[in-house]
Amino acid sequence: PLPKFIGTDWIGREAEVTAVERELLPPDTGYARKLYVSLDDQREQVFVSVVLSGADRTSIHRPELCLVGQGWSIDAQARTEIDGEIPAMLLGLTREVVAPDQGMVRVPALFAYWFVGREKVAATTWQRLWHTALNRLRLKPDRWAYVVVQTAVLPGETEELAQRRMERVAKALRDQLTPVRGEFLEKD
């Protein structure tokens, strides 16, 4: 489980797994997720989710598929490093929502993800699949975790500030989210 507090700056609120997720993913899929809210400014929120594959490896899939299915548009995609060391993909997202007295409003967000295996951290689905295939040949099948860190880009805020917020939370949770260290990180 993810911690209830991150230092004295963030409180973690439960973020339930949806019925659709439970229906679509295999029953032995593991989940840990929280919505971290800044105690200084409750508008600053960071969603953290870990999905752990079970015996049926279909629990872990390309996140872009779910995002589009949830109504997000993917406007940008780039490789990044979380905490200067964790290879990840960073997506710029937008979604249209109905706001009271404003009609349809475009809401921007940032979404970072990476995959954690027994001996590797991979930023992309293709890297994860490659390492999975290699380990199957070595008779060492992997059980992968899919880690997500997401935040809204607040009105008047730059994407850089929103990304720093995500990284502060991910850095504080680093040992829980990515226990693999050093030479096992996939940088290419």
Side-chain angles (χ1 to χ4, degrees), residues 95-107:
R95 178 165 56 180
E96 290 192 2
V97 297
V98 177
D101 302 326
Q102 296 178 352
M104 294 298 280
V105 177
R106 289 179 62 86
V107 176

Side-chain angles (χ1 to χ4, degrees), residues 43 53 127:
R43 295 176 311 138
S53 70
Q127 288 174 337

Side-chain angles (χ1 to χ4, degrees), residues 15-58:
E16 294 299 320
V17 177
T18 67
V20 171
E21 288 171 303
R22 290 213 185 272
E23 187 176 309
L24 291 177
L25 298 177
D28 63 347
T29 301
Y31 304 93
R33 56 177 54 169
K34 289 220 186 293
L35 177 65
Y36 287 96
V37 179
S38 169
L39 294 172
D40 292 331
D41 182 351
Q42 292 193 3
R43 295 176 311 138
E44 292 187 5
Q45 301 181 4
V46 178
F47 173 69
V48 177
S49 175
V50 180
V51 176
L52 182 63
S53 70
D56 180 343
R57 303 295 190 238
T58 60

Side-chain angles (χ1 to χ4, degrees), residues 47-110:
F47 173 69
V48 177
S49 175
V50 180
V51 176
L52 182 63
S53 70
D56 180 343
R57 303 295 190 238
T58 60
S59 305
I60 309 297
H61 53 278
R62 288 185 56 229
E64 293 86 351
L65 299 173
C66 284
L67 289 169
V68 172
Q70 294 168 2
W72 291 100
S73 294
I74 301 171
D75 303 322
Q77 184 172 350
R79 297 277 302 261
T80 191
E81 288 185 356
I82 304 293
D83 191 21
E85 192 174 281
I86 302 168
M89 292 301 297
L90 179 65
L91 306 179
L93 308 175
T94 54
R95 178 165 56 180
E96 290 192 2
V97 297
V98 177
D101 302 326
Q102 296 178 352
M104 294 298 280
V105 177
R106 289 179 62 86
V107 176
L110 294 178

Side-chain angles (χ1 to χ4, degrees), residues 73-150:
S73 294
I74 301 171
D75 303 322
Q77 184 172 350
R79 297 277 302 261
T80 191
E81 288 185 356
I82 304 293
D83 191 21
E85 192 174 281
I86 302 168
M89 292 301 297
L90 179 65
L91 306 179
L93 308 175
T94 54
R95 178 165 56 180
E96 290 192 2
V97 297
V98 177
D101 302 326
Q102 296 178 352
M104 294 298 280
V105 177
R106 289 179 62 86
V107 176
L110 294 178
F111 182 99
Y113 71 88
W114 61 94
F115 302 96
V116 181
R118 177 182 342 119
E119 297 174 343
K120 289 285 184 197
V121 176
T124 68
T125 299
W126 302 117
Q127 288 174 337
R128 179 183 61 82
L129 292 173
W130 172 252
H131 291 297
T132 297
L134 285 177
N135 283 341
R136 281 187 179 155
L137 289 173
R138 297 176 187 143
L139 301 175
K140 297 184 341 183
D142 281 317
R143 183 175 185 198
W144 288 90
Y146 157 50
V147 180
V148 169
V149 181
Q150 181 178 357

